[in-house]
Amino acid sequence: MAECSGLQFVSPYAFEAMQKVDVVRLAALSDPELRLLLPCLVRMALCAPADQSQSWAQDKKLILRLLSGVEAVNSIVALLSVDFHALEQDASKEQQLRHKLGGGSGESILVSQLQHGLTLEFEHSDSPRRLRLVLSELLAIMNKVSESNGEFFLKSSELFESPVYLEEAADVLCILQAELPSLLPIVDVAEALLHVKNGAWFLCLLVANVPDSFNEVCRGLIKNGERQDEESIGGRRRTEALRHLCKMNPSQALRVRGMVVEECHLPGLGVALTLDHTKNESPDDGVSDLVCFVSGLLLGTNAKVRTWFGTFIRNGQQRKRDNISSVLWQMRRQLLLELMGILPTVRSTHIVEEADVDMEPNVSVYSGLKEEHVVKASALLRLYCALMGIAGLKPTDEEAEQLLQLMTSRPPATPAGVRFVSLSFCMLLAFSTLVSTPEQEQLMVMWLSWMIKEEAYFESISGVSASFGEMLLLVAMYFHSNQLSAIIDLVCSTLGMKIVIKPSSLSRMKTIFTQEIFTEQVVTAHAVRVPVTGNLSANITGFLPIHCIYQLLKSRSFTKHKVSIKDWIYRQLCETTTPLHPQLLPLIDVYINSILTPASKSNPEATNQPVTEQEILNVFQGLSGVNPNFYSQELGMQHDLCMWFYVQGENTRLTQRYSITTQLLVLYYVLSYEEALLANTKILAAMQKKPKSYSSALMDQIPIKYLIRQAQGLQQELGGLHSALLRLLATNYPHLCIVEDWICEEQITGTDALLRRMLLTNIAKNHSPKQLQEAFSMLPGNHTQLMQILEHLTLLSAGELIPYAEVLTSNMNRLLNAGVPRRILQTVNKLWMVLNTVMPRRLWVMTVNALQPSVKIVRQQKYTQNDLMIDPLIVLRCDQRVHRSPPLMDITLHMLNGYLLASKAYLNSHLKETAEQDIRPSQNNAMGPEAPEVTREELKNALLAAQDSAAVQILLEICLPTEEEKAQSSNTHSLLKSVHSTTGPKSPELEEEDSLLCNLREVQCLICCLLHQMYIADPNIVKLVHFQGYPCELLALTVAGIPSMHICLDFIPELIAQPELEKQIFAIQLLSFLCIQYALPKSLSVARLAINVMGTLLTVLTQSKRYAFFMPTLPCLVSFCQAFPPLYEDIMSLLIQIGQVCASDVATQTRDFDPIITRLQQLKEKPLEVSGICKDSSNKSFSRDIASMDPDVRLCQCVENTIIEIINMSVSGV
């Protein structure tokens, strides 16, 4: 709006005075400045105020005195004397008329009979008519704006263009808007004024006289504005008007800029306001507001804002570059001035050879950036990257030259300087077109050489671990392996923005890197010499040596050039802390792969060296003053306990050399190495290469369970390390992942543990292992002291209990003697379970050796971890007294379960380790290469099945009462049948019997729980054990005590079909108990099958086999009837049929057998009537025929007794 250049606008001083109604300031204004504010001041002086205070009365007097000397006040007073109500009514009628006529220029109600032009009419008119003239003109413009549908137009109006009447027209405009706010909303009036000449001046006067409407007007103008303001005349006029408003009220300029960004309208206005603000702010060395604003738009998280401003940049470039009035041009000029302002003032124009200068290593022939300018230079580089990469800005030659000068400047050795160099390097990669001439290319090469030379100095002085040297190495490695996409990702990550970089643009840089600066051998040799990052953690961001080593390992550069990297990786693992750096686990994985897999088939020896066992043990020993060679000697109990003392520095007061992070990473390395070695055994065997496996003695010394517990408490800081360790543990050490152990750990480490710590006294802490040994030696005579010490030990944590483990386990055999209180046994069990959470493997070995029979202890026969994994049944070859000590039996069963799992893992790994045995015979094997593998796998499965079934059979035998226990019982029935105890009062003898056998019953319950877990884990064990068979006395116990016995219903038909008579009998007896326990439809069908089988066998068995089969199975028919009454008819028919078969055999003899047959017929036909008689007669007949040893007679008597039991059961309703 150049037409407003000669007009006087309201000054910021005057606007602030109006805003605050500062009368003193208003009095200090000049007459021209005061003239612009008269409409508001006159209304303020004449209208009744809402403020009735004394201070305002005084201020009002001052305003009246101020206005008294101004002649123009009289005309404004006259304007205020008009009847505005009538004026508003006429204006409303005119609007309705115009709406009806379609906006045409018809009759006007406000103004009629214009004899002269609008300007002359305004001059000759009185105040009311002047108001009507301006109102009519303004309403016409507003009406046209509303009908224009956003298309801009410029309305020619004499009233708003004549310089003579501008002030008077402005007075009328201000009075009209103030008195008719509903008819003339200030936002609509402001929008209309943009379409007339001098509209910006009128708008500023209008807002100055209504200062509280500033934000409302600005928001309205921005909201109605164009998305790209410099594309149209209307947009430029709107921007100019808003700039004048913000100049009038500079304190709100940044708020208006915020409205611009919020609405995504008028980007040129936002830049213009920022330029105005930048000129007004005092110059300093910090980042300017312009850089911050534009960077925020392009690098912010709002994609809509980024696209909007990027379009502004692209559209601005399409116009003529020499358009100085363009806001984009002004912005670029200002940025270039800021860039040139921080460039080094003294800079050599020629390149000096390194040999020509004799100076310190950190001094360059180039003048470096000042330290106070480094941050600003970094911000400018990122801004230009965003402008070129996101907004598509094409730099001019001058901009490109100055940018290259800035990028190749040398900052001081500070963290900000390191950041600046990294940004400059990435910008060179991203925008290689900035280097266009040979001189510029030579300048860039010299600067890169300086980076390589000064990298170590920068890192040592600045104290920044992530220096630009690692980035150089990483980029060089990517160029060598042609991973251009990785370079692009690296550049975008460092710059902090996603920009499009064509891989073809990196071709020249690739040539420079791979041929002139960094050859692959130089990269590899240099990487090993790079020091490791101290206390490496996720808190250290940027590109570190670990990134370079990872890429070199991945590309197999170390093995290709025969450079050892093992020591560097070991040192870096030892220099780690929490939170875990995300690159450590991938580094270990790729390192393990480089150890096991050769770089090429032609050179199978091209592999890296693994970490030695000595180095691994050093991580876990951590004892000062201990001879490291001690670990290469035989590893025994003493060393193990010493290691555990180290783990608990609280007890031993020894400092820990390595962090828990280092120990967990080394554990992850060892477990991953062993797993990868087993997985690649066949491939390595085919290549005739066998890397060394870590010894079992080494694995025994690593406190795996303790470390896993530590990792569990640090899951948030360890990232994915904890879950990775759990996966490896579940695969290779399943006995350390028993579910019951995890549940037990939750109880030990929960709230109860905190309460126990609160109850922990100094007395409990002062008990030594020696005192515990002395207390054990006093058993069985004195057990009070032992009980007291054990109770105190229960208050200690698992780690604090470790020193007592040897004493506790070695004295377990003393607890088997008679007279040891049950409370001591239970407390020892509790302490053992707590120790099991931190040192299970060593604890199990010590416990198994301690519980051996006294003969073996005298012989000093000690089992090792390997012995127990090969033969888990050693656990059950303990002292027989353990079988009747429930607390110790609980421990034994826990160890047995663990070693059965360990044995499975051991055999699986052994099968994989010896996979080369499958390959060698297969070369001359006619059966094919797969035959040996199948055979070995089947043999392994058969061995495991035999091992599990043997364990189950031994446990079932333990459940049987011994001869001594049988002798103590006066009852003829088996003690096992007490599972189905009958109701009724118990005699004192039976109560005494129950009390004597409580230990047996508790052991049976513990064994049943373990068998249930084993059956659920592998249902094939159930089938195998029951096909083998076991004493029928145990059936009542197993069916009632093992919930998973119901799966036997699946294979009982197959068991009944076996040819052996013993297995058929066992199957029917088992089925009888299952039918009572699980009266299901499936049980009914199997029971019906069993009855049919019995009927069939009756017809085919000989006399002796018939007697052997039916004598034990006939009582089972009673259970079938009890569980399923519908089977009554079939069973009775079977019983009569058995009796008839027996009678037919007896008939050939001289014995008269008719009475028995007659009784059986009567029992079938009239069971209820004969049942009472049968009881007496059967007893008499039984006593009479008891002397008869004839099998058929005895079988008939058994049939008769079975029928009577069925009848009595049905009569009594049981």
Side-chain angles (χ1 to χ4, degrees), residues 982-1049:
T982 58
T983 59
K986 290 186 177 181
S987 64
E989 290 79 11
L990 289 176
E991 292 181 0
E992 182 181 359
E993 174 189 329
D994 287 345
S995 65
L996 288 173
L997 295 180
C998 62
N999 285 341
L1000 174 60
R1001 180 57 49 79
E1002 192 172 348
V1003 167
Q1004 289 173 347
C1005 292
L1006 292 172
I1007 290 175
C1008 286
C1009 289
L1010 177 61
L1011 294 182
H1012 173 59
Q1013 295 173 15
M1014 294 178 68
Y1015 290 172
I1016 290 298
D1018 187 6
N1020 292 324
I1021 298 177
V1022 193
K1023 185 175 181 180
L1024 178 59
V1025 169
H1026 286 84
F1027 269 70
Q1028 292 172 345
Y1030 50 83
C1032 60
E1033 294 89 345
L1034 291 170
L1035 285 174
L1037 172 69
T1038 56
V1039 172
I1042 304 176
S1044 54
M1045 282 290 289
H1046 64 86
I1047 59 181
C1048 295
L1049 292 170

Coordinates of all heavy atoms in Angstrom, one line a residue, residues 982-1049:
T982 N -13.9 -95.0 55.1 CA -15.4 -95.1 55.4 C -15.8 -94.2 56.5 O -15.0 -93.8 57.4 CB -15.7 -96.5 55.7 OG1 -15.0 -96.9 56.9 CG2 -15.4 -97.4 54.6
T983 N -17.0 -93.8 56.5 CA -17.6 -92.9 57.6 C -17.8 -93.7 58.8 O -18.0 -95.0 58.8 CB -18.9 -92.3 57.1 OG1 -19.8 -93.3 56.8 CG2 -18.6 -91.4 55.9
G984 N -18.0 -93.1 59.9 CA -18.2 -93.7 61.2 C -17.2 -93.4 62.2 O -16.1 -92.9 61.9
P985 N -17.4 -93.7 63.5 CA -16.4 -93.4 64.5 C -15.2 -94.2 64.4 O -15.2 -95.4 64.0 CB -17.2 -93.7 65.8 CG -18.2 -94.7 65.4 CD -18.6 -94.3 64.0
K986 N -14.0 -93.6 64.6 CA -12.8 -94.3 64.6 C -12.4 -94.8 65.9 O -12.6 -94.2 67.0 CB -11.7 -93.4 64.0 CG -11.8 -93.0 62.6 CD -10.6 -92.2 62.1 CE -10.7 -91.9 60.7 NZ -9.5 -91.2 60.2
S987 N -11.8 -96.0 65.9 CA -11.3 -96.5 67.2 C -10.0 -95.9 67.6 O -9.3 -95.3 66.7 CB -11.1 -98.0 67.0 OG -10.1 -98.3 66.0
P988 N -9.6 -95.9 68.8 CA -8.3 -95.3 69.2 C -7.1 -95.9 68.5 O -6.1 -95.3 68.2 CB -8.2 -95.7 70.7 CG -9.7 -95.8 71.1 CD -10.4 -96.4 69.9
E989 N -7.2 -97.3 68.1 CA -6.1 -97.9 67.4 C -5.9 -97.2 66.0 O -4.8 -97.0 65.6 CB -6.4 -99.4 67.2 CG -6.3 -100.2 68.5 CD -7.6 -100.1 69.4 OE1 -8.6 -99.5 68.8 OE2 -7.6 -100.5 70.5
L990 N -7.1 -96.9 65.3 CA -7.0 -96.3 64.0 C -6.4 -94.9 64.1 O -5.6 -94.5 63.3 CB -8.3 -96.3 63.3 CG -8.9 -97.6 62.9 CD1 -10.3 -97.5 62.3 CD2 -7.9 -98.3 61.8
E991 N -6.8 -94.2 65.1 CA -6.2 -92.8 65.3 C -4.7 -92.9 65.5 O -4.0 -92.1 65.0 CB -6.9 -92.1 66.5 CG -8.4 -91.8 66.2 CD -9.0 -91.1 67.4 OE1 -8.3 -90.9 68.4 OE2 -10.2 -90.8 67.3
E992 N -4.3 -93.9 66.3 CA -2.9 -94.0 66.5 C -2.2 -94.4 65.2 O -1.1 -93.9 64.9 CB -2.6 -95.1 67.6 CG -1.1 -95.3 67.9 CD -0.9 -96.4 69.0 OE1 -1.9 -96.9 69.4 OE2 0.2 -96.6 69.3
E993 N -2.8 -95.2 64.4 CA -2.3 -95.6 63.1 C -2.1 -94.4 62.2 O -1.1 -94.2 61.6 CB -3.2 -96.6 62.5 CG -2.9 -97.0 61.1 CD -4.0 -97.8 60.5 OE1 -4.6 -98.6 61.2 OE2 -4.1 -97.7 59.2
D994 N -3.1 -93.5 62.2 CA -3.0 -92.3 61.3 C -1.9 -91.4 61.8 O -1.2 -90.8 61.0 CB -4.4 -91.5 61.4 CG -5.4 -92.3 60.6 OD1 -5.1 -93.2 59.8 OD2 -6.6 -91.9 60.8
S995 N -1.7 -91.2 63.1 CA -0.7 -90.4 63.6 C 0.7 -90.9 63.2 O 1.6 -90.2 63.0 CB -0.8 -90.2 65.1 OG -0.6 -91.4 65.8
L996 N 0.8 -92.3 63.3 CA 2.1 -92.9 62.9 C 2.4 -92.7 61.5 O 3.6 -92.6 61.1 CB 2.1 -94.4 63.3 CG 2.1 -94.7 64.8 CD1 1.9 -96.2 65.0 CD2 3.4 -94.3 65.4
L997 N 1.4 -92.7 60.6 CA 1.6 -92.6 59.2 C 1.5 -91.2 58.6 O 1.3 -91.1 57.4 CB 0.7 -93.6 58.5 CG 0.9 -95.1 58.8 CD1 -0.1 -95.9 58.1 CD2 2.3 -95.5 58.5
C998 N 1.5 -90.2 59.4 CA 1.3 -88.8 58.8 C 2.4 -88.5 57.9 O 2.3 -87.8 56.9 CB 1.1 -87.8 59.9 SG 2.6 -87.7 61.0
N999 N 3.6 -88.9 58.2 CA 4.8 -88.6 57.4 C 4.6 -89.3 56.0 O 4.9 -88.7 55.0 CB 6.1 -89.0 58.0 CG 6.5 -88.1 59.1 OD1 6.0 -87.0 59.2 ND2 7.3 -88.6 60.1
L1000 N 4.2 -90.6 56.1 CA 4.0 -91.3 54.8 C 2.9 -90.6 54.0 O 3.1 -90.4 52.7 CB 3.6 -92.7 55.1 CG 3.1 -93.6 53.9 CD1 4.3 -93.7 52.9 CD2 2.7 -94.9 54.3
R1001 N 1.8 -90.2 54.6 CA 0.8 -89.5 53.8 C 1.3 -88.2 53.2 O 0.9 -87.9 52.1 CB -0.4 -89.3 54.8 CG -1.6 -88.6 54.1 CD -2.1 -89.4 52.9 NE -2.3 -90.8 53.2 CZ -3.4 -91.3 53.8 NH1 -4.4 -90.5 54.2 NH2 -3.5 -92.5 54.1
E1002 N 2.0 -87.5 54.0 CA 2.5 -86.2 53.5 C 3.5 -86.4 52.3 O 3.5 -85.7 51.3 CB 3.2 -85.4 54.6 CG 3.6 -84.0 54.2 CD 4.1 -83.2 55.4 OE1 4.0 -83.7 56.5 OE2 4.5 -82.1 55.2
V1003 N 4.3 -87.4 52.4 CA 5.3 -87.8 51.3 C 4.5 -88.2 50.1 O 4.8 -87.8 49.0 CB 6.2 -88.9 51.8 CG1 7.0 -89.4 50.6 CG2 7.2 -88.3 52.8
Q1004 N 3.4 -89.0 50.3 CA 2.6 -89.4 49.2 C 2.0 -88.2 48.5 O 1.9 -88.1 47.2 CB 1.5 -90.3 49.7 CG 1.9 -91.7 50.1 CD 0.8 -92.5 50.7 OE1 -0.2 -92.0 51.1 NE2 1.1 -93.8 50.9
C1005 N 1.5 -87.2 49.2 CA 1.0 -86.0 48.6 C 2.0 -85.2 47.8 O 1.7 -84.7 46.7 CB 0.4 -85.1 49.7 SG -1.1 -85.8 50.6
L1006 N 3.2 -85.1 48.4 CA 4.3 -84.4 47.6 C 4.6 -85.1 46.3 O 4.8 -84.5 45.3 CB 5.5 -84.3 48.5 CG 5.5 -83.4 49.7 CD1 6.7 -83.5 50.6 CD2 5.3 -81.9 49.3
I1007 N 4.7 -86.5 46.4 CA 5.0 -87.2 45.2 C 3.9 -87.1 44.2 O 4.1 -87.0 43.0 CB 5.3 -88.7 45.6 CG1 6.6 -88.8 46.4 CG2 5.3 -89.6 44.3 CD1 6.9 -90.2 46.9
C1008 N 2.6 -87.2 44.6 CA 1.5 -87.0 43.7 C 1.6 -85.7 43.0 O 1.2 -85.6 41.8 CB 0.2 -87.2 44.5 SG -0.1 -88.9 44.9
C1009 N 1.9 -84.6 43.7 CA 2.0 -83.3 43.1 C 3.1 -83.3 42.0 O 2.9 -82.8 40.9 CB 2.4 -82.2 44.1 SG 1.0 -81.9 45.3
L1010 N 4.2 -83.9 42.2 CA 5.3 -83.9 41.2 C 4.9 -84.8 40.0 O 5.1 -84.4 38.9 CB 6.6 -84.5 41.8 CG 7.8 -84.6 40.8 CD1 8.1 -83.3 40.2 CD2 9.0 -85.3 41.5
L1011 N 4.2 -85.9 40.3 CA 3.8 -86.8 39.2 C 2.8 -86.1 38.3 O 2.7 -86.2 37.1 CB 3.2 -88.1 39.8 CG 4.2 -89.0 40.5 CD1 3.6 -90.3 40.9 CD2 5.4 -89.3 39.6
H1012 N 1.9 -85.3 39.0 CA 0.9 -84.6 38.2 C 1.6 -83.6 37.3 O 1.2 -83.5 36.1 CB 0.0 -83.8 39.2 CG -1.0 -82.9 38.5 ND1 -1.9 -83.3 37.6 CD2 -1.1 -81.5 38.6 CE1 -2.6 -82.3 37.2 NE2 -2.1 -81.2 37.8
Q1013 N 2.6 -82.9 37.7 CA 3.3 -82.0 36.9 C 4.0 -82.7 35.7 O 4.0 -82.2 34.6 CB 4.4 -81.2 37.7 CG 3.8 -80.3 38.8 CD 4.8 -79.7 39.7 OE1 6.0 -79.7 39.3 NE2 4.4 -79.2 40.8
M1014 N 4.6 -83.8 36.0 CA 5.3 -84.6 35.0 C 4.3 -85.1 34.0 O 4.6 -85.1 32.7 CB 6.1 -85.8 35.6 CG 7.2 -85.3 36.5 SD 8.1 -86.7 37.3 CE 8.8 -87.5 35.8
Y1015 N 3.1 -85.6 34.4 CA 2.1 -86.1 33.5 C 1.6 -85.0 32.6 O 1.4 -85.2 31.4 CB 1.0 -86.7 34.3 CG 1.3 -88.0 35.0 CD1 0.4 -88.6 35.8 CD2 2.5 -88.6 34.8 CE1 0.7 -89.8 36.5 CE2 2.8 -89.8 35.4 CZ 1.9 -90.4 36.3 OH 2.2 -91.6 36.9
I1016 N 1.4 -83.8 33.2 CA 0.9 -82.7 32.4 C 2.0 -82.2 31.3 O 1.7 -81.9 30.2 CB 0.5 -81.5 33.3 CG1 -0.7 -81.9 34.1 CG2 0.2 -80.2 32.5 CD1 -2.0 -82.1 33.3
A1017 N 3.2 -82.2 31.8 CA 4.3 -81.8 30.9 C 4.5 -82.7 29.7 O 4.8 -82.3 28.6 CB 5.6 -81.6 31.7
D1018 N 4.3 -84.0 30.0 CA 4.5 -85.0 28.9 C 3.5 -86.2 29.1 O 3.8 -87.1 29.9 CB 5.9 -85.6 28.9 CG 6.2 -86.5 27.7 OD1 5.3 -86.6 26.9 OD2 7.3 -87.1 27.6
P1019 N 2.3 -86.1 28.5 CA 1.3 -87.2 28.7 C 1.8 -88.6 28.3 O 1.2 -89.6 28.8 CB 0.2 -86.7 27.9 CG 0.3 -85.2 27.7 CD 1.8 -85.0 27.7
N1020 N 2.8 -88.6 27.5 CA 3.3 -90.0 27.1 C 3.9 -90.7 28.3 O 3.9 -92.0 28.2 CB 4.4 -89.8 26.0 CG 3.9 -89.3 24.7 OD1 2.7 -89.6 24.3 ND2 4.6 -88.5 24.0
I1021 N 4.4 -90.0 29.3 CA 4.9 -90.7 30.5 C 3.8 -91.5 31.2 O 4.0 -92.6 31.6 CB 5.5 -89.7 31.4 CG1 6.7 -89.0 30.8 CG2 6.0 -90.4 32.7 CD1 7.3 -87.9 31.6
V1022 N 2.6 -90.9 31.2 CA 1.5 -91.6 31.9 C 1.2 -93.0 31.1 O 1.1 -94.0 31.8 CB 0.2 -90.7 31.8 CG1 -0.9 -91.3 32.7 CG2 0.5 -89.3 32.1
K1023 N 1.2 -92.9 29.9 CA 0.9 -94.1 29.1 C 2.0 -95.2 29.3 O 1.7 -96.4 29.5 CB 0.8 -93.8 27.6 CG 0.4 -95.0 26.7 CD 0.1 -94.5 25.3 CE -0.3 -95.6 24.4 NZ -0.5 -95.2 23.0
L1024 N 3.3 -94.7 29.3 CA 4.4 -95.6 29.4 C 4.4 -96.3 30.8 O 4.5 -97.5 30.9 CB 5.7 -94.9 29.2 CG 7.0 -95.7 29.4 CD1 7.0 -96.9 28.4 CD2 8.2 -94.8 29.2
V1025 N 4.2 -95.5 31.9 CA 4.2 -96.0 33.2 C 3.0 -97.0 33.4 O 3.2 -98.1 34.0 CB 4.0 -94.8 34.2 CG1 3.8 -95.4 35.6 CG2 5.3 -94.0 34.2
H1026 N 1.9 -96.7 32.9 CA 0.7 -97.6 33.1 C 0.8 -98.9 32.2 O 0.2 -99.9 32.5 CB -0.6 -96.9 32.9 CG -0.9 -96.0 34.0 ND1 -0.4 -94.7 34.1 CD2 -1.6 -96.2 35.2 CE1 -0.8 -94.1 35.2 NE2 -1.6 -95.0 35.9
F1027 N 1.5 -98.8 31.1 CA 1.7 -100.0 30.3 C 2.8 -100.9 31.0 O 2.8 -102.1 30.9 CB 2.2 -99.6 28.9 CG 1.1 -99.5 27.9 CD1 0.2 -98.5 28.0 CD2 0.9 -100.4 26.9 CE1 -0.9 -98.3 27.1 CE2 -0.2 -100.3 26.0 CZ -1.1 -99.3 26.1
Q1028 N 3.7 -100.2 31.8 CA 4.6 -101.0 32.5 C 4.0 -101.6 33.8 O 4.3 -102.7 34.2 CB 5.8 -100.1 33.0 CG 6.7 -99.6 31.9 CD 7.7 -98.6 32.4 OE1 7.5 -98.0 33.5 NE2 8.7 -98.3 31.6
G1029 N 3.0 -100.9 34.3 CA 2.3 -101.4 35.5 C 3.0 -101.0 36.8 O 4.2 -100.8 36.8
Y1030 N 2.2 -101.1 37.9 CA 2.8 -100.9 39.2 C 1.8 -101.6 40.2 O 0.7 -102.0 39.8 CB 3.0 -99.4 39.5 CG 1.8 -98.5 39.3 CD1 0.8 -98.3 40.2 CD2 1.8 -97.8 38.1 CE1 -0.2 -97.5 40.0 CE2 0.7 -96.9 37.9 CZ -0.3 -96.8 38.8 OH -1.3 -95.9 38.6
P1031 N 2.2 -101.7 41.4 CA 1.3 -102.4 42.4 C -0.1 -101.9 42.4 O -0.3 -100.6 42.5 CB 2.0 -102.2 43.7 CG 3.5 -102.0 43.4 CD 3.5 -101.3 42.1
C1032 N -1.1 -102.8 42.4 CA -2.5 -102.3 42.4 C -2.9 -101.7 43.7 O -3.9 -100.9 43.7 CB -3.4 -103.5 42.1 SG -3.3 -104.9 43.3
E1033 N -2.1 -101.9 44.7 CA -2.4 -101.2 46.0 C -2.3 -99.7 45.9 O -2.9 -99.0 46.7 CB -1.5 -101.7 47.1 CG -1.6 -103.1 47.5 CD -0.8 -104.1 46.7 OE1 -0.3 -103.6 45.6 OE2 -0.6 -105.2 47.0
L1034 N -1.5 -99.2 44.9 CA -1.3 -97.8 44.7 C -2.4 -97.1 43.8 O -2.4 -95.9 43.7 CB 0.1 -97.5 44.1 CG 1.3 -97.8 45.0 CD1 2.5 -97.8 44.1 CD2 1.3 -96.9 46.1
L1035 N -3.3 -97.9 43.2 CA -4.2 -97.3 42.3 C -5.1 -96.3 43.0 O -5.5 -95.3 42.5 CB -5.0 -98.4 41.6 CG -4.3 -99.2 40.5 CD1 -5.2 -100.3 40.0 CD2 -4.0 -98.3 39.4
A1036 N -5.6 -96.7 44.2 CA -6.5 -95.8 44.9 C -5.8 -94.4 45.2 O -6.4 -93.4 45.1 CB -6.9 -96.4 46.3
L1037 N -4.5 -94.5 45.5 CA -3.7 -93.3 45.8 C -3.5 -92.5 44.5 O -3.7 -91.2 44.5 CB -2.4 -93.7 46.4 CG -1.4 -92.5 46.6 CD1 -1.9 -91.6 47.7 CD2 0.0 -93.0 46.9
T1038 N -3.0 -93.1 43.5 CA -2.7 -92.3 42.3 C -3.9 -91.7 41.7 O -3.9 -90.5 41.2 CB -2.0 -93.2 41.2 OG1 -2.9 -94.4 41.0 CG2 -0.7 -93.7 41.8
V1039 N -5.1 -92.4 41.6 CA -6.3 -91.9 41.0 C -6.8 -90.7 41.8 O -7.2 -89.7 41.3 CB -7.3 -93.0 40.8 CG1 -8.7 -92.4 40.3 CG2 -6.8 -94.0 39.8
A1040 N -6.8 -90.9 43.1 CA -7.3 -89.8 44.0 C -6.3 -88.6 44.1 O -6.8 -87.5 44.3 CB -7.7 -90.3 45.3
G1041 N -5.0 -88.9 44.1 CA -4.1 -87.9 44.4 C -3.5 -87.2 43.2 O -2.8 -86.1 43.4
I1042 N -3.6 -87.7 42.0 CA -3.0 -87.1 40.8 C -4.2 -86.7 39.9 O -4.8 -87.5 39.3 CB -2.1 -88.1 40.1 CG1 -1.1 -88.7 41.0 CG2 -1.5 -87.5 38.8 CD1 -0.2 -89.7 40.4
P1043 N -4.5 -85.4 39.8 CA -5.6 -84.9 39.1 C -5.5 -85.2 37.6 O -6.6 -85.3 36.9 CB -5.6 -83.4 39.3 CG -4.8 -83.2 40.5 CD -3.8 -84.3 40.6
S1044 N -4.4 -85.4 37.0 CA -4.2 -85.6 35.6 C -4.4 -87.1 35.2 O -4.2 -87.5 34.1 CB -2.9 -85.1 35.1 OG -1.8 -85.7 35.9
M1045 N -4.8 -88.0 36.2 CA -5.0 -89.4 35.9 C -6.1 -89.6 34.9 O -6.2 -90.7 34.3 CB -5.2 -90.2 37.1 CG -3.9 -90.4 37.9 SD -2.8 -91.6 37.1 CE -3.7 -93.1 37.3
H1046 N -7.0 -88.6 34.7 CA -8.1 -88.8 33.8 C -7.7 -89.1 32.4 O -8.5 -89.6 31.6 CB -9.1 -87.6 33.9 CG -8.4 -86.4 33.4 ND1 -8.4 -86.0 32.0 CD2 -7.8 -85.4 34.0 CE1 -7.7 -84.9 31.9 NE2 -7.3 -84.5 33.1
I1047 N -6.5 -88.7 32.0 CA -6.0 -88.9 30.7 C -5.8 -90.4 30.4 O -5.6 -90.8 29.2 CB -4.7 -88.1 30.3 CG1 -3.6 -88.5 31.3 CG2 -5.0 -86.7 30.4 CD1 -2.3 -87.7 31.1
C1048 N -5.8 -91.2 31.5 CA -5.6 -92.7 31.3 C -6.8 -93.3 30.5 O -6.7 -94.3 29.9 CB -5.5 -93.4 32.6 SG -4.0 -93.0 33.5
L1049 N -8.0 -92.6 30.6 CA -9.2 -93.1 29.9 C -8.9 -93.1 28.3 O -9.6 -93.9 27.6 CB -10.3 -92.1 30.1 CG -10.9 -92.2 31.6 CD1 -11.9 -91.0 31.8 CD2 -11.5 -93.5 31.9

